[in-house]
Amino acid sequence: MKTQLFVPLVTHPDANADGLAGQVAAIAAGMDAGIHALAINVSIPNVSTALSKLLLNTPDLIRQAEAESRRRGEHLLDLLRENAHKAAAEFDARTIAVALPLLAETAAQQARYYDFSLVGLDAGNQTARATAEAVVFGSGRPALLVPETTEPSAFDNIAIAWDGSRVAARALADARPFLERASAVSVITVVDEKPLKNAGDEERLAAALRQRGVNATASTVKTQGRPIAEALQQEALQRGCQLLVMGGYGHSRLRDFVLGGATEGVLNNLVMPVLLSH
């Protein structure tokens, strides 16, 4: 079966950047995947009062915000369609309008029908940040987070963040389509961030991958005072990797969703493509 890639496009209040279109097309071409793009536009209920109409002209502001959201969504879809055509990738596009509090959850719900999600994410875009978190933890599907300002690149050299946990194993399984196409894989274990049950687990995984025909090597790294997400991404980049595979940690605590340190660090400061699985 052909891999199906879901791309939620955020349009309000912070929209995805134009650079995401080239990233999506390049990744889809490398995976031989079909692209399913969804522009998620905002629908704002008119709750204005007589006073707000007089002072702020609220109905006009609502119409302007909705029109700008639709315009941005159409623009992003046009760019994606153009780039998909150049990459000879299958492409279809849809739009949906939902209330502002439901934007991120809508992306997570729609993502459940596809193999992977690809979410564009840049520092300062809180709409994309919320969407990425919702897709990672609410879709039940792996999410590929991509910085929108980086140049498109084939995932020929891949890093796996490994601690022997369930979510790391889930991410490893979800990354199989990428691992099968990679010429080199680096298994990276951070040794000074938390207690590890078994020393040498990174080499055990690398050996298991080699038995499957993957050119895998293992290494350990220390944070040296850096946040773990920064240490992992820097180590991967130093090794020439174009993709980092890692498990997404999160749990509910008294109705508040609490993220693991590495997961939160990636969502807050993404400097390379990261495949997150929960």
Side-chain angles (χ1 to χ4, degrees):
M1 293 189 298
K2 192 179 187 70
T3 300
Q4 303 301 321
L5 186 64
F6 174 64
V7 185
L9 299 170
V10 297
T11 65
H12 181 88
D14 303 306
N16 286 126
D18 289 0
L20 179 62
Q23 296 272 33
V24 171
I27 292 169
M31 297 174 64
D32 189 27
I35 302 170
H36 301 267
L38 176 66
I40 306 175
N41 302 328
V42 69
S43 175
I44 305 173
N46 187 352
V47 292
S48 60
T49 64
L51 180 60
S52 67
K53 289 179 181 178
L54 178 64
L55 298 178
L56 299 174
N57 198 8
T58 302
D60 279 350
L61 293 176
I62 290 174
R63 284 193 292 271
Q64 290 172 16
E66 291 179 338
E68 175 58 23
S69 175
R70 290 193 300 271
R71 185 200 68 77
R72 186 62 187 164
E74 291 169 1
H75 172 71
L76 289 169
L77 288 175
D78 287 343
L79 285 176
L80 269 173
R81 186 178 293 106
E82 178 183 345
N83 279 269
H85 178 73
K86 291 178 181 177
E90 294 179 6
F91 177 82
D92 67 49
R94 294 184 297 130
T95 61
I96 190 172
V98 298
L100 185 60
L102 301 178
L103 295 177
E105 179 58 28
T106 297
Q109 291 174 351
Q110 295 294 319
R112 294 169 189 161
Y113 298 92
Y114 304 94
D115 299 306
F116 291 87
S117 293
L118 192 157
V119 183
L121 184 60
D122 271 336
N125 189 332
Q126 292 303 310
T127 310
R129 166 65 165 76
T131 300
E133 184 176 326
V135 170
V136 169
F137 293 102
S139 70
R141 300 292 190 182
L144 184 59
L145 310 184
V146 179
E148 297 173 331
T149 55
T150 58
E151 290 295 321
S153 174
F155 297 149
D156 187 56
N157 191 345
I158 296 175
I160 300 170
W162 186 251
D163 61 1
S165 65
R166 180 197 66 81
V167 292
R170 178 71 265 168
L172 176 66
D174 288 335
R176 182 171 180 174
F178 299 99
L179 298 177
E180 290 175 343
R181 292 175 169 84
S183 63
V185 172
S186 298
V187 180
I188 302 172
T189 294
V190 177
V191 295
D192 64 345
E193 190 263 340
K194 63 183 179 182
L196 299 173
K197 291 183 179 180
N198 299 304
D201 262 1
E202 66 285 347
E203 181 52 49
R204 181 179 178 184
L205 176 59
L209 291 172
R210 289 193 294 269
Q211 290 175 350
R212 292 166 172 79
V214 177
N215 178 24
T217 58
S219 65
T220 59
V221 63
K222 293 184 177 181
T223 59
Q224 297 178 330
R226 299 169 294 176
I228 184 171
E230 180 181 333
L232 283 168
Q233 291 183 91
Q234 286 182 353
E235 181 69 14
L237 289 171
Q238 288 173 5
R239 292 179 170 275
C241 300
Q242 302 102 3
L243 173 67
L244 172 63
V245 176
M246 58 184 287
Y249 290 87
H251 63 276
S252 178
R253 181 185 296 165
L254 298 179
R255 297 180 64 186
D256 291 327
F257 202 73
V258 181
L259 300 178
T263 306
E264 184 170 25
V266 163
L267 290 169
N268 289 337
N269 186 26
L270 184 73
V271 298
M272 67 179 296
V274 174
L275 179 66
L276 271 176
S277 291
H278 176 63

